[in-house]
């Protein structure tokens, strides 16, 4: 089994070496689930959307499995399997003619969209092909952004706006397409002034198919329907709401400083109350940029939820009173934490799949919190936190507010030379 952590481009780097730490956390979660030793070949962090880590993933797949068996993409709904399938389809992992024959997987936020097992034939990584691929990768890695074509630079800048981590996925073995043969009837070019030119009926384009020899011994990469998690808040939402909750662009962390007696709402999908503590603490929200965060006092929080859940202030769910009648109530869970310092979070409060709140407090400071998620969804306290230094990625404090100005960290392109390092 090779475990792939997808959508890593959405998470900001909170400190140098954050990718190594993320990889360790994924490996630890695998070990906890019983995947260790010979069962776990490798852990890879990638972004199927921006291409980060994909060339390395292709190389790892070719080294580990060569062309000895079929490969299946398995995972939960909305984990990006179909996007990964489409990217691998256009990479050196796929036979060169296959992209012209294979249908791309449907990419949608709605669970169950990959209803059939889509597949493409895996290319046989012979010694010659591996050598030619490595030569291409070396040549591409020696370039700077200035040496890219205007189209490549434009696309790269587009990806940088989408995510923090960007990579380029190329193809070593391009299929040479034959020049199209233009058929025409000379008689249709000659007609008298009183005659209308005759339109030759267009030939129906024939769909390309694999030949028997191409597929008789082929090994295939399959895309599969997503596994639906039972305790996931996305199961309660409409398609329009899911699109707001699932982040599709780089998440900009939002940090707030709260005193005891204050409350943080993440839309109407999650709530964190700061009940007891001696000093203020920092609460950093990692969630879709479309989800609003609202700060209130404990005395007003219930009234705010009652009035604004389903309305524009809290945004999700949407649909007013009628929508909230069918939406499950928020259920509380008490949490006790002890701070470890003003620059390092002690834990993440994961509000199902809506996002999480990293809590940073003074060293040895004891906090009593109460967190809420909709009934039937999971609320998890994650220790240690995934991005422990996330509260340091912030701008100046907004005067008269609990909020800090947001700050978007820069993007990183993995397979280009840094300009000026020639």
């Amino acid at each position: 089994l090779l475990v792939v952590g997808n959508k890593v481009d959405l998470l900001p780097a909170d400190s140098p070496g954050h990718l190594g730490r993320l990889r360790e956390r994924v490996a630890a979660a695998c070990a906890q689930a019983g995947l260790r030793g010979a069962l776990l070949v490798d852990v890879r962090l990638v972004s199927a959307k921006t291409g980060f880590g994909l060339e390395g993933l292709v190389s790892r797949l070719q080294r580990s499995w060569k062309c000895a068996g079929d490969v299946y993409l398995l995972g939960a709904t909305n984990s990006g399997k179909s996007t990964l399938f489409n990217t691998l389809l256009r990479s050196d992992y796929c036979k060169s003619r296959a992209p012209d024959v294979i249908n791309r997987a449907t990419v949608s936020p709605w669970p169950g969209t990959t209803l059939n097992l889509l597949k493409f034939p895996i290319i046989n990584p012979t010694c010659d092909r591996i050598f030619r691929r490595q030569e291409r990768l070396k040549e591409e890695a020696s370039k700077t952004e200035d040496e890219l074509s205007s189209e490549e630079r434009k696309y790269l800048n587009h990806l940088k706006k989408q995510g923090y981590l960007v990579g380029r996925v190329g193809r070593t073995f391009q299929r040479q397409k034959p020049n199209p043969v233009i058929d025409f009837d000379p008689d249709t070019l000659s007609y008298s002034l009183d005659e209308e030119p005759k339109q030759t009926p267009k030939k129906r384009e024939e769909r390309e198919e694999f030949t028997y020899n191409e597929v008789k011994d082929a090994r295939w990469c399959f895309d599969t329907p997503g596994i639906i998690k039972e305790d996931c808040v996305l199961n309660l939402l409409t398609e329009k709401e899911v699109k707001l909750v699932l982040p599709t662009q780089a998440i900009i962390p939002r940090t707030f400083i709260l005193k005891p007696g204050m409350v943080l709402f993440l839309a109407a999908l999650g709530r964190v109350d700061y009940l007891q503590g001696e000093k203020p603490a920092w609460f950093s929200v990692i969630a879709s940029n479309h989800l609003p965060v609202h700060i209130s006092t404990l005395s007003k929080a219930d009234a705010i939820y009652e009035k604004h859940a389903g309305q524009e202030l809290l945004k999700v769910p949407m649909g007013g009173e009628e929508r909230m009648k069918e939406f499950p109530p928020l259920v509380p869970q008490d949490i006790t934490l002890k701070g470890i310092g003003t620059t390092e979070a002690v834990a993440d409060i994961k509000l199902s799949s809506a996002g999480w709140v990293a809590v940073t407090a003074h060293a040895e400071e004891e906090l009593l919190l109460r967190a809420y998620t909709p009934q039937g969804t999971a609320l998890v306290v994650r220790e240690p936190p995934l991005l422990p230094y996330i509260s340091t990625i912030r701008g100046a404090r907004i005067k008269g507010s609990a909020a800090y100005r947001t700050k978007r960290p820069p993007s990183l392109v993995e397979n280009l030379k840094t300009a000026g390092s020639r």
Side-chain angles (χ1 to χ4, degrees):
L1 185 70
L2 190 153
V3 173
V4 177
N6 195 16
K7 301 189 180 184
V8 72
D9 62 298
L10 299 175
L11 300 180
D14 65 328
S15 63
H18 83 292
L19 282 177
R21 189 172 61 245
L22 288 176
R23 189 175 180 277
E24 288 173 5
R25 294 299 306 278
V26 173
C30 291
Q32 191 173 3
L35 299 175
R36 55 169 67 91
L39 286 176
L40 184 62
V41 173
D42 200 357
V43 174
R44 290 277 166 168
L45 301 182
V46 307
S47 167
K49 183 178 181 181
T50 68
F52 179 83
L54 259 295
E55 292 286 20
L57 175 61
V58 169
S59 296
R60 191 69 176 94
L61 286 167
Q62 290 180 335
R63 286 199 310 272
S64 298
W65 283 274
K66 300 189 186 298
C67 207
D70 295 332
V71 172
Y72 292 82
L73 303 181
L74 307 173
T77 55
N78 299 306
S79 60
K81 295 187 312 303
S82 293
T83 305
L84 179 59
F85 176 88
N86 291 336
T87 306
L88 290 174
L89 176 64
R90 301 189 303 271
S91 76
D92 282 345
Y93 196 54
C94 177
K95 286 192 173 185
S96 59
R97 200 169 77 83
D100 298 324
V101 182
I102 303 292
N103 287 325
R104 293 178 63 190
T106 303
V107 178
S108 167
W110 204 244
T113 49
T114 308
L115 298 178
N116 298 314
L117 282 182
L118 296 175
K119 63 181 182 179
F120 66 74
I122 298 168
I123 199 168
N124 185 12
T126 60
C127 293
D128 174 63
R129 285 175 176 157
I130 289 177
F131 175 77
R132 287 163 58 195
R133 170 175 159 76
Q134 292 303 321
E135 289 299 300
R136 176 182 66 81
L137 293 177
K138 285 177 190 176
E139 181 183 347
E140 291 185 353
S142 67
K143 292 181 180 179
T144 64
E145 284 192 42
D146 295 338
E147 294 174 286
L148 300 178
S149 69
S150 59
E151 280 299 312
E152 285 179 311
R153 282 201 301 273
K154 184 179 178 181
Y155 184 58
L156 200 61
N157 289 330
H158 168 73
L159 291 179
K160 285 181 181 179
K161 292 176 183 177
Q162 302 291 311
Y164 294 110
L165 299 169
V166 178
R168 296 180 303 145
V169 183
R171 300 204 72 186
T172 309
F173 319 109
Q174 295 284 1
R175 179 199 174 196
Q176 297 296 320
K177 292 188 179 181
N179 292 326
V181 177
I182 301 173
D183 289 329
F184 68 91
D185 181 358
D187 292 336
T188 64
L189 303 180
S190 172
Y191 53 91
S192 63
L193 293 176
D194 58 348
E195 288 180 326
E196 290 292 331
K198 296 177 181 177
Q199 297 292 329
T200 304
K202 290 184 178 179
K203 289 186 177 180
R204 184 180 175 184
E205 286 190 15
E206 292 187 7
R207 177 181 168 83
E208 290 194 54
E209 300 288 348
F210 288 121
T211 65
Y212 171 76
N213 286 335
E214 284 179 305
V215 297
K216 65 175 183 177
D217 297 318
R219 295 294 181 261
W220 300 85
C221 177
F222 291 90
D223 187 23
T224 65
I227 301 164
I228 298 175
K229 294 184 288 186
E230 293 182 358
D231 55 0
C232 178
V233 72
L234 299 179
N235 299 337
L236 306 174
L237 304 180
T238 65
E239 185 173 2
K240 191 174 180 181
E241 292 164 351
V242 168
K243 286 181 178 178
L244 293 174
V245 173
L246 284 179
T248 56
Q249 295 192 347
I251 294 170
I252 301 175
R254 290 168 280 178
T255 296
F256 305 83
I257 185 167
L258 304 186
K259 297 176 182 177
M262 297 182 76
V263 173
L264 181 151
F265 283 102
L266 177 59
L269 302 175
R271 166 179 163 179
V272 180
D273 299 357
Y274 185 5
L275 299 181
Q276 293 178 21
E278 295 295 322
K279 300 175 182 177
W282 292 266
F283 294 76
S284 300
V285 177
I286 309 298
S288 167
N289 302 331
H290 295 300
L291 288 186
V293 176
H294 187 76
I295 305 300
S296 168
T297 59
L298 196 56
S299 59
K300 297 178 180 178
D302 289 343
I304 286 173
Y305 184 83
E306 188 71 26
K307 181 178 180 180
H308 293 287
Q311 308 297 335
E312 184 59 28
L313 182 73
L314 297 180
K315 205 165 190 174
V316 178
M318 54 181 66
E321 291 182 15
E322 289 302 312
R323 174 76 174 98
M324 295 312 297
K325 283 179 183 177
E326 63 185 28
F327 198 76
L330 296 183
V331 176
Q333 178 178 319
D334 284 1
I335 300 166
T336 303
L337 299 174
K338 181 180 283 190
I340 54 178
T342 57
T343 60
E344 186 175 353
V346 58
D348 293 331
I349 300 174
K350 191 170 179 292
L351 304 170
S352 187
S353 296
W356 75 82
V357 179
V359 181
T360 305
H362 291 81
E364 300 303 313
E365 174 77 5
E366 291 193 0
L367 282 68
L368 176 60
L369 309 175
R370 181 169 292 153
Y372 297 74
T373 53
Q375 189 174 49
T377 65
L379 191 155
V380 177
V381 179
R382 184 164 53 200
E383 297 180 88
L386 205 58
L387 300 170
Y389 307 104
I390 196 67
S391 69
T392 62
I393 305 176
R394 63 178 191 244
R397 174 91 176 268
I398 299 173
K399 191 174 181 180
S401 166
Y404 291 84
R405 297 192 185 281
T406 56
K407 192 164 77 172
R408 189 185 192 279
S411 297
L412 169 70
V413 183
E414 68 166 343
N415 48 0
L416 280 179
K417 276 176 65 178
T418 305
S421 63
R422 301 182 193 186

